[in-house]
Amino acid sequence: MTYTPKSDFVAVMMERGFLADCTDYQGLDEALLQGVRPAYIGFDATAKSLHVGSLIQIMMLRWFQKTGHQPITLMGGGTTKVGDPSFRADERPLLTEAQIDDNIAGIKKVFSAYIDYDSDAPNKALMLNNAEWLDGLNYLEFLRDIGRHFSVNRMLAFESVKSRLDREQSLSFLEFNYMILQAYDFMELNNRYGCILQMGGSDQWGNIVNGIDLTRRVIDHEVYGLTSPLLTTSDGKKMGKSADGAVWLNPEMRSPYEFWQFWRNTTDADVGRFLKLYTELPVDECERLGALAGSEVNAAKVILANEVTTLCHGVEAAAAAEATAREVFEKGGVGDDLPTLSLSSEDLGDGISIVQLIVKSGLAKSGKDAKRLISENGAKIDDQPLTDAGLMIDAGALSSPIKLSAGKKRHALVRLDG
């Protein structure tokens, strides 16, 4: 589409590739010129951390605040009890309240690195929990006052639901209520905080449109929706996934070194796009770096890894990760920041198999995977080929740390404590 934005935020979204769709570009643009305006994105608490797949939304909130507006991070303490059915093949497992609260505590750690909740500025961010208004709803009143505004015919037509039904996969009544609750969230946030904008991935389009419609019908307020593209890498992989699982943002679930290495391993074709989305480097610099070819593009990948890791984990963690990578890959050394498996004498006993060590160190998901890695000559111990899947490691072998490798890019240390 051809549209020249007036507000800084919409300009950034369009220039850096964040925009998939918007319910009203001009209306939103003009609303953002009227002073500090609040916008929100909701995050359900289905795990103890968000992963890289959510980072595009986190960066949208960061840019919203950097362009002078107020971001709201809405924790789904209420909606997580239901589960979002959007483009899922099956129902999410139900979590207890204690599990949800524990997950929210873990997720909160991520946001403080990107968004300012503590300043005295008028656009200080808010972190809210929709359990505050959803937990106390009276069912009959909710059906009468809110449910009557929703057409089942229209809800069934949304692609996120239709695709599930077309495959003849069950959609529970519990899940079907999710989009009503999310719509209610938007209306509540508008009513309580003057929130005018809901953002999310393009899979949330139907839910966002429902919230806009409900807000107009019930309280007659004008609100807007904006979605980002659902990203895949240039080789077709879902963003946020790697060979060994999800790329979590919390350091307890994915070390800063492994996080750095994920970005360093970006395919050449994705470098420029990822620099625009996940860093704050000027757009022309992102394009220059993304256009590099051959060995030169590796320098751009290091810049990408450093910039993204600095935002998430801090400048010291990024520098340590780069130093470790140089030590491991350029000098064949060990490096101080490699993921480390520490074993006690009790863990070790009379010895532990190399297959178990590969699994415990996170280089393989199962013993079967570890044995396949060894049989296909993909495993190394202290940079030497590992060919014996029956090898046992005892305390003597761990008198100094050993380095395990899976392929050329994934490494871990194993050491004996005490």
Side-chain angles (χ1 to χ4, degrees):
M1 77 160 266
T2 302
Y3 178 76
T4 303
K6 301 173 185 175
S7 68
D8 291 342
F9 177 70
V10 176
V12 168
M13 292 296 98
M14 295 183 77
E15 188 178 35
R16 301 188 79 95
F18 283 96
L19 262 179
D21 212 341
C22 180
T23 55
D24 180 356
Y25 286 95
Q26 187 171 349
L28 173 61
D29 220 6
E30 291 174 354
L32 293 177
L33 295 174
Q34 305 305 311
V36 177
R37 309 306 295 267
Y40 90 99
I41 300 178
F43 299 86
D44 278 344
T46 53
K48 291 183 179 180
S49 171
L50 299 175
H51 59 65
V52 164
S54 297
L55 193 51
I56 189 169
Q57 276 80 49
I58 296 173
M59 289 299 293
M60 289 167 80
L61 289 171
R62 180 176 172 87
W63 278 113
F64 195 69
Q65 188 170 45
K66 284 176 72 71
T67 54
H69 298 287
Q70 182 179 43
I72 298 173
T73 47
L74 182 66
M75 296 289 98
T79 43
T80 304
K81 297 171 185 175
V82 175
D84 185 1
S86 297
F87 295 98
R88 287 184 60 85
D90 51 15
E91 188 171 354
R92 290 187 186 275
L94 295 180
L95 303 178
T96 65
E97 285 201 33
Q99 288 174 314
I100 292 170
D101 289 344
D102 193 34
N103 288 347
I104 287 175
I107 291 171
K108 282 181 177 179
K109 296 177 185 177
V110 173
F111 287 107
S112 59
Y114 292 90
I115 300 165
D116 180 11
Y117 297 92
D118 300 320
S119 74
D120 296 325
N123 66 332
K124 178 179 75 171
L126 297 176
M127 181 169 286
L128 306 172
N129 187 333
N130 63 14
E132 180 183 339
W133 50 83
L134 294 182
D135 280 1
L137 287 175
N138 178 292
Y139 185 60
L140 289 178
E141 286 182 5
F142 185 74
L143 284 180
R144 184 189 64 199
D145 298 339
I146 304 301
R148 66 189 177 89
H149 295 290
F150 290 82
S151 161
V152 171
N153 307 57
R154 186 176 181 223
M155 293 162 75
L156 289 173
F158 283 122
E159 188 59 35
S160 59
V161 174
K162 188 174 179 293
S163 60
R164 178 105 157 244
L165 298 178
D166 286 348
R167 294 192 300 268
E168 297 184 356
Q169 292 165 328
S170 174
L171 179 71
S172 72
F173 178 70
L174 180 68
E175 292 176 286
F176 196 62
N177 276 270
Y178 183 93
M179 61 182 74
I180 301 178
L181 295 177
Q182 185 170 328
Y184 187 76
D185 281 346
F186 198 177
M187 188 182 74
E188 276 293 304
L189 288 171
N190 178 262
N191 213 16
R192 293 176 181 223
Y193 300 97
C195 181
I196 65 160
L197 173 64
Q198 181 183 175
M199 301 184 287
S202 57
D203 61 332
Q204 295 298 310
W205 181 255
N207 292 334
I208 291 172
V209 169
N210 271 329
I212 292 170
D213 188 53
L214 180 66
T215 304
R216 287 173 179 168
R217 285 171 179 266
V218 177
I219 58 178
D220 194 27
H221 287 180
E222 191 72 23
V223 291
Y224 308 93
L226 184 153
T227 58
S228 62
L230 291 181
L231 282 187
T232 56
T233 57
S234 59
D235 52 4
K237 294 178 182 176
K238 188 175 181 181
M239 191 61 188
K241 300 290 184 181
S242 69
D244 53 343
V247 182
W248 301 105
L249 302 180
N250 283 36
E252 299 85 4
M253 296 177 68
R254 187 84 173 195
S255 75
Y257 170 78
E258 293 172 297
F259 183 81
W260 188 95
Q261 198 62 47
F262 169 80
W263 296 99
R264 170 61 183 81
N265 293 337
T266 295
T267 57
D268 295 1
D270 289 324
V271 172
R273 181 170 58 133
F274 287 179
L275 282 164
K276 289 181 186 178
L277 291 170
Y278 300 114
T279 81
E280 294 175 344
L281 292 178
V283 170
D284 56 354
E285 177 67 0
C286 296
E287 291 174 347
R288 184 190 71 80
L289 291 168
L292 295 176
S295 60
E296 287 186 322
V297 77
N298 290 327
K301 292 179 184 181
V302 170
I303 292 171
L304 172 66
N306 281 336
E307 292 288 329
V308 181
T309 305
T310 295
L311 281 174
C312 189
H313 297 299
V315 66
E316 290 182 5
E322 182 183 3
T324 291
R326 291 192 185 283
E327 179 71 21
V328 171
F329 295 108
E330 295 179 11
K331 303 175 185 177
V334 171
D336 297 329
D337 205 35
L338 280 182
T340 300
L341 171 66
S342 297
L343 299 175
S344 66
S345 299
E346 189 176 315
D347 294 327
L348 199 60
D350 294 330
I352 187 170
S353 75
I354 194 66
V355 168
Q356 284 180 285
L357 282 186
I358 290 173
V359 174
K360 284 178 176 291
S361 63
L363 298 179
K365 293 181 179 179
S366 65
K368 184 178 179 181
D369 286 341
K371 290 175 182 176
R372 184 186 305 115
L373 184 70
I374 294 169
S375 68
E376 294 175 352
N377 301 316
K380 290 184 178 181
I381 181 168
D382 288 333
D383 296 319
Q384 298 302 311
L386 177 58
T387 56
D388 181 7
L391 179 66
M392 297 295 292
I393 301 296
D394 58 18
L398 287 173
S399 57
S400 60
I402 62 173
K403 174 184 167 187
L404 297 178
S405 304
K408 296 180 179 179
K409 297 179 178 179
R410 296 168 53 228
H411 309 272
L413 291 183
V414 182
R415 70 183 183 194
L416 183 61
D417 280 349

